Amino acid sequence: MASYQKQLLKSVLTFSSVILITAGVKAQQITIPVETETTALVLQATAGKDLNTVYLGQKLNNKADYDKVAAAYEQPNDYSVLFNSAYTPSGSRNLLEPAISVTHADGNNSLELKYVSHNLTKVDDNVSLLTIKLKDPAYNFMVTLFYKSYYKENVIEQWSEISHLEKGNVTLHKFASANINLRAGSYWLRQYHGDWAKEMRPEETQLTHGIKTLDSKLGTRADLFMPSVFMVSLDKPSTEDEGQVLFGGLEWSGNFRTDFEVDPKDHLRIISGINNYASAYQLKPGTVFKTPAFVYTLSGNGKGEASRNLQNWARNYKLLDGKGQRLTLLNNWESTYFDFNEQKLGELLKDTKKLGVDLFLLDDGWFGNQYPRNDDHAGLGDWQENRKKLPNGIAAIAKEASANGVKFGIWVEPEMINPKSELYQKHPDWVVKDPKRDEYYFRNQLVLDLSNPKVQDFVYNIIDSLFIKDPALAYIKWDCNAVIYNAYSAHLKNEQSQFYVDYVKGLYLVLQRLRAKYPEIPMMLCSGGGGRVDYGALQYFTEYWPSDNTDPLERIFIQWEYSYFYPAIASANHVTDWGRQPIKYRVDVAMMGKLGFDIVVDKLSTNDLKFCQDAITTYNSLKSMIWQGDQYRLLNPRENSVASVMYVNADKTSGVMFNYLVNNRYDEGSKAPILLKGLDAEKNYSIREINIYPGSKSPFVSERIFSGDFLMKIGFNPYVNSGRSSVIIKIDAVK
Ligand code: GLA
């Protein structure tokens, strides 16, 4: 018997002789609190061994009080006594939306999950991992629930492992990552929707009884219409600094599904996981199905605090190189599109140096020979340099880059294929397409079948061979421009319903292999804009591309919403020619994250160029604060004519405040002082305007001194108006 099977059998045998490690015991109940600095999630195994969530909210002062919570909330007529199950099984007593639903090897559809044991491990001073084993008393079918808690960040990740030792496969019909329960008088869901160039548009509504579902069925580019991130405010819509609010999201780059069920007891059940749409999964005996993590944080002080919790957690634990450096860059996409050659790139490399950024990023169009990539109709899949455009290969461009003292990066879209490609002719069976249906294209392309290990090798080798050609390659932009139509895998044969899940697992296998060999190379997660932004992928990527829409006015709104869930260091913001705002406005907006440019440097006026060069120097002096500091949203562009955001360093000695006019109507502007946040009330601060356009006069040329107390209670007016549509203020503690 394999050692894994032995282990499973052991957990079956210990079912009746439970070993408890941390437990407050009341009668036969077992109370299991998961605590962070401010939050408590309290699970409880009942006398009947059902595992319930009895509390998710602000931490109580006295741990022993958690034992009394269930009784305090007791209500009659919970018919199944499962309404607040910690992982709701289906087909037995359950009456509500399940977290898990299966058909056993013998064809039986019922499932009960009874508490077996739990174990709490301290991973380090800040991180704890609670595991809870559950088992069906009638079947050798097991689920282990995982709760990883991050004390200082007030973040919890939840996932599950499903396994069995039945005499044949078990079909998993639903397999959620988390099933959480909240209690409040009302629940207010803030969700996001979008499309290309329209990412992260919020909508906020009160949840009513029944089920509201957020989901994606797009396969790849899964967030195009809707990302999995959301907020739920309790009792009333929370504001930036007030109210109880939970932020959540699934760490998964494919189809997701989150159900919000206000149940007959007026509780909110949130069940989130991989979308089970067309995805019944055959689980062999002795194997484990591991669900992706669902991450969440709960704040008692509004959205701002919740966002800082997630940003801190991401930088400390999830985002690749979250505490590290990033490269400023010049990208050639919007300045050349597909139309370039070695000579033109040589000029752009000189521009990169002239501008003063770290890296030149060569975008789409450098590959394909039989089917050259001269537009988006051909060439994807044929990752050989186009001999006409680049007769000496990318190695020559890379060499030229280093001669100019700049680094070199390159665009790839390795999961995709144009039907017009040599690859398609050679390996039609590697392509996701249904033999019984007509091909249907998204941006003239199809998706490669990453459930197939041969395709995984191919995709891995695309990137690996780029590094072999140019060992100094310093940056990858990984794009993904198509959704999946006709989801059929030649490789999976009669296991088609595993395709959506196995695709993402295949993608992660490739990324894991790449990260094993190239642990630190910065990589941008791009998906025709923000079609794929999630923490499942961001553990392999240093940054994401929020949107192809780089109109700075639009970006203020888009970046604002992303920033609730992702830290500024991960937001790739490029200055382009989109929009009608002056260069200063465009650069200022892009500075609120990871700065890049995609403009024709050559065409900049002397003053514009000088401004950009100086702005890059200024940015380099500010970037550690923007990337690693605490972000505070001061004025919401959806509610005001001015948007204002600030970043403060950890010891509150320095801050930077970005202010923009977002309404061009007559006489709009900052009419009143804006309240600053996150400063030390006891400190005095100097205030001055920075990033001033050559020749412009600022009303704040000389430093002004204010106490932190004053700035946070009375505020400061940066005088934003139509003549000063973008203003950056630097704040520094003075002795
Ligand atoms: C996508 C990306 C763009 C650019 C093009 C290239 O649309 O979002 O930034 O790289 O592909 O084809």
Side-chain angles (χ1 to χ4, degrees):
M1 195 188 284
S3 74
Y4 177 72
Q5 282 173 311
K6 278 187 203 150
Q7 203 190 323
L8 280 181
L9 201 58
K10 206 170 136 207
S11 73
V12 175
L13 296 173
T14 52
F15 175 48
S16 51
S17 54
V18 171
I19 305 156
L20 302 180
I21 294 180
T22 319
V25 181
K26 187 196 172 198
Q28 286 158 298
Q29 283 179 355
I30 300 156
T31 306
I32 313 165
V34 178
E35 285 187 335
T36 67
E37 195 166 13
T38 59
T39 306
L41 166 68
V42 183
L43 301 150
Q44 199 165 63
T46 63
K49 304 271 186 234
D50 290 323
L51 184 73
N52 294 330
T53 308
V54 293
Y55 181 65
L56 172 55
Q58 300 305 305
K59 187 161 132 179
L60 302 185
N61 290 342
N62 183 354
K63 252 193 185 175
D65 282 349
Y66 293 130
D67 276 338
K68 304 176 200 150
V69 174
Y73 281 136
E74 217 154 66
Q75 291 182 31
N77 301 336
D78 175 344
Y79 298 103
S80 59
V81 204
L82 266 185
F83 283 6
N84 62 339
S85 167
Y87 200 69
T88 314
S90 74
S92 49
R93 276 152 41 221
N94 174 49
L95 301 171
L96 303 176
E97 182 60 34
I100 179 168
S101 164
V102 307
T103 300
H104 293 284
D106 65 3
N108 186 302
N109 282 326
S110 71
L111 184 65
E112 281 209 60
L113 290 172
K114 297 291 185 180
Y115 170 88
V116 178
S117 65
H118 73 277
N119 185 18
L120 182 67
T121 340
K122 248 185 145 354
V123 178
D124 59 34
D125 278 353
N126 192 49
V127 184
S128 301
L129 182 65
L130 169 70
T131 55
I132 305 181
K133 289 195 165 145
L134 307 172
K135 187 189 169 293
D136 188 328
Y139 287 92
N140 274 344
F141 185 94
M142 282 68 67
V143 173
T144 305
L145 302 180
F146 292 80
Y147 300 84
K148 196 170 186 181
S149 52
Y150 300 83
Y151 192 84
K152 280 205 300 278
E153 294 79 9
N154 293 303
V155 164
I156 299 175
E157 282 178 296
Q158 268 183 237
W159 68 94
S160 60
E161 283 185 6
I162 304 166
S163 60
H164 70 90
L165 289 175
E166 298 187 18
K167 292 194 178 66
N169 290 351
V170 170
T171 308
L172 307 181
H173 301 289
K174 191 170 185 199
F175 28 83
S177 298
N179 178 174
I180 59 179
N181 294 272
L182 290 161
R183 290 162 195 267
S186 59
Y187 309 93
W188 300 83
L189 174 68
R190 186 177 172 89
Q191 61 177 94
Y192 294 90
H193 71 106
D195 200 337
W196 179 78
K198 297 195 285 194
E199 290 83 351
M200 292 301 277
R201 301 212 163 167
E203 288 169 320
E204 189 154 333
T205 45
Q206 183 174 0
L207 288 166
T208 53
H209 287 85
I211 300 179
K212 162 87 186 176
T213 300
L214 303 183
D215 82 334
S216 169
K217 302 184 182 78
L218 282 65
T220 43
R221 213 174 168 179
D223 300 337
L224 183 64
F225 300 150
M226 177 172 282
S228 76
V229 290
F230 66 86
M231 307 174 188
V232 171
S233 299
L234 305 184
D235 293 317
K236 58 179 184 214
S238 59
T239 64
E240 198 59 30
D241 300 302
E242 282 175 353
Q244 288 226 55
V245 60
L246 177 133
F247 282 22
L250 191 69
E251 299 177 30
W252 183 247
S253 309
N255 295 348
F256 63 84
R257 168 175 167 185
T258 305
D259 291 313
F260 300 83
E261 180 172 23
V262 180
D263 72 14
K265 299 277 159 218
D266 310 329
H267 302 156
L268 176 62
R269 310 171 68 247
I270 302 178
I271 299 178
S272 183
I274 295 174
N275 198 342
N276 57 336
Y277 158 75
S279 292
Y281 211 93
Q282 294 297 314
L283 190 64
K284 296 188 185 80
T287 56
V288 176
F289 186 93
K290 184 177 174 188
T291 67
F294 171 74
V295 60
Y296 61 99
T297 182
L298 187 74
S299 158
N301 301 302
K303 293 168 180 164
E305 181 181 273
S307 76
R308 287 185 289 280
N309 288 347
L310 274 189
Q311 293 176 359
N312 285 335
W313 167 79
R315 286 184 299 227
N316 292 338
Y317 295 103
K318 191 56 67 166
L319 173 71
L320 192 95
D321 204 17
K323 304 298 277 181
Q325 292 299 313
R326 297 292 186 274
L327 300 167
T328 53
L329 58 82
L330 177 67
N331 189 190
N332 71 314
W333 174 238
E334 295 196 7
S335 60
T336 66
Y337 292 103
F338 298 94
D339 180 20
F340 57 82
N341 56 26
E342 201 176 283
Q343 190 209 342
K344 213 175 207 176
L345 295 183
E347 285 156 22
L348 290 173
L349 287 168
K350 291 199 177 68
D351 288 344
T352 310
K353 188 186 164 86
K354 184 158 55 164
L355 196 59
V357 289
D358 303 318
L359 174 132
F360 174 71
L361 169 60
L362 174 59
D363 214 283
D364 195 356
W366 57 267
F367 49 89
N369 284 298
Q370 191 177 331
Y371 300 99
R373 180 81 172 161
N374 291 331
D375 57 42
D376 61 16
H377 286 80
L380 275 182
D382 301 345
W383 297 100
Q384 301 79 33
E385 296 96 321
N386 178 279
R387 285 187 288 273
K388 262 200 191 144
K389 289 182 191 170
L390 303 177
N392 301 300
I394 59 159
I397 308 293
K399 212 168 139 206
E400 188 61 22
S402 80
N404 279 286
V406 296
K407 294 179 195 291
F408 176 66
I410 201 160
W411 177 98
V412 286
E413 196 181 358
E415 298 158 74
M416 302 285 158
I417 185 164
N418 282 124
K420 274 195 196 164
S421 64
E422 293 177 65
L423 183 69
Y424 190 81
Q425 290 170 346
K426 217 162 130 197
H427 293 293
D429 55 323
W430 283 10
V431 177
V432 178
K433 56 178 183 142
D434 193 317
K436 297 218 160 57
R437 312 283 164 199
D438 291 341
E439 285 182 13
Y440 195 73
Y441 308 120
F442 197 108
R443 209 195 184 200
N444 316 301
Q445 63 196 55
L446 292 165
V447 179
L448 288 173
D449 178 7
L450 270 177
S451 74
N452 182 343
K454 285 192 188 132
V455 178
Q456 293 165 19
D457 286 346
F458 171 79
V459 171
Y460 171 83
N461 284 324
I462 296 169
I463 315 293
D464 192 36
S465 63
L466 287 171
F467 285 109
I468 292 166
K469 278 183 197 152
D470 173 17
L473 187 64
Y475 188 89
I476 301 278
K477 175 176 175 183
W478 181 303
D479 213 337
C480 165
N481 277 301
V483 302
I484 294 178
Y485 296 119
N486 293 318
Y488 181 94
S489 156
H491 168 71
L492 286 174
K493 301 195 173 74
N494 58 359
E495 291 178 334
Q496 292 302 321
S497 64
Q498 299 188 185
F499 170 71
Y500 284 123
V501 172
D502 286 356
Y503 182 93
V504 181
K505 287 189 172 168
L507 171 68
Y508 290 165
L509 283 175
V510 172
L511 290 165
Q512 279 153 17
R513 269 170 83 185
L514 283 171
R515 282 313 182 187
K517 190 160 175 193
Y518 307 104
E520 271 154 20
I521 292 291
M523 284 213 298
M524 184 208 280
L525 175 62
C526 175
S527 185
R532 180 192 272 168
V533 185
D534 66 82
Y535 280 118
L538 280 172
Q539 57 193 305
Y540 308 107
F541 290 84
T542 48
E543 55 225 66
Y544 67 91
W545 182 236
S547 177
D548 278 355
N549 190 339
T550 46
D551 176 328
L553 184 61
E554 295 292 327
R555 271 300 184 108
I556 288 170
F557 291 78
I558 293 173
Q559 291 169 199
W560 179 281
E561 298 301 332
Y562 272 117
S563 81
Y564 282 118
F565 305 96
Y566 303 99
I569 189 172
S571 179
N573 303 338
H574 293 182
V575 176
T576 72
D577 286 333
W578 283 50
R580 278 169 296 186
Q581 291 74 14
I583 189 89
K584 169 168 163 58
Y585 194 106
R586 289 184 269 149
V587 173
D588 287 359
V589 171
M591 279 169 75
M592 294 192 298
K594 209 223 82 172
L595 176 66
F597 290 79
D598 196 345
I599 47 172
V600 187
V601 175
D602 221 21
K603 287 199 183 134
L604 291 175
S605 68
T606 314
N607 273 347
D608 279 5
L609 177 63
K610 169 89 172 72
F611 171 76
C612 290
Q613 290 165 329
D614 292 348
I616 291 160
T617 309
T618 305
Y619 178 73
N620 286 336
S621 72
L622 295 174
K623 63 190 183 189
S624 65
M625 184 159 56
I626 296 167
W627 296 346
Q628 300 300 336
D630 290 323
Q631 186 199 29
Y632 293 89
R633 294 173 205 83
L634 309 181
L635 283 187
N636 186 334
R638 289 197 156 75
E639 294 160 8
N640 302 278
S641 293
V642 171
S644 184
V645 176
M646 72 182 280
Y647 301 82
V648 183
N649 68 358
D651 55 11
K652 300 175 189 289
T653 52
S654 213
V656 58
M657 178 196 193
F658 294 87
N659 309 278
Y660 310 97
L661 186 68
V662 293
N663 180 348
N664 282 329
R665 294 199 61 194
Y666 177 72
D667 197 30
E668 287 298 337
S670 58
K671 306 227 167 93
I674 298 170
L675 298 184
L676 276 64
K677 296 179 190 171
L679 299 174
D680 182 342
E682 301 302 318
K683 285 192 167 69
N684 283 325
Y685 293 92
S686 78
I687 293 251
R688 78 196 150 90
E689 183 171 357
I690 57 169
N691 229 31
I692 300 167
Y693 190 80
S696 304
K697 294 230 165 8
S698 165
F700 317 115
V701 268
S702 58
E703 294 184 344
R704 298 171 175 213
I705 311 289
F706 300 95
S707 68
D709 181 54
F710 183 93
L711 290 170
M712 293 191 290
K713 288 179 182 159
I714 306 292
F716 176 79
N717 190 339
Y719 292 133
V720 176
N721 55 48
S722 58
R724 287 167 54 76
S725 57
S726 170
V727 179
I728 306 185
I729 300 290
K730 181 84 196 305
I731 302 131
D732 287 294
V734 290
K735 287 264 149 46

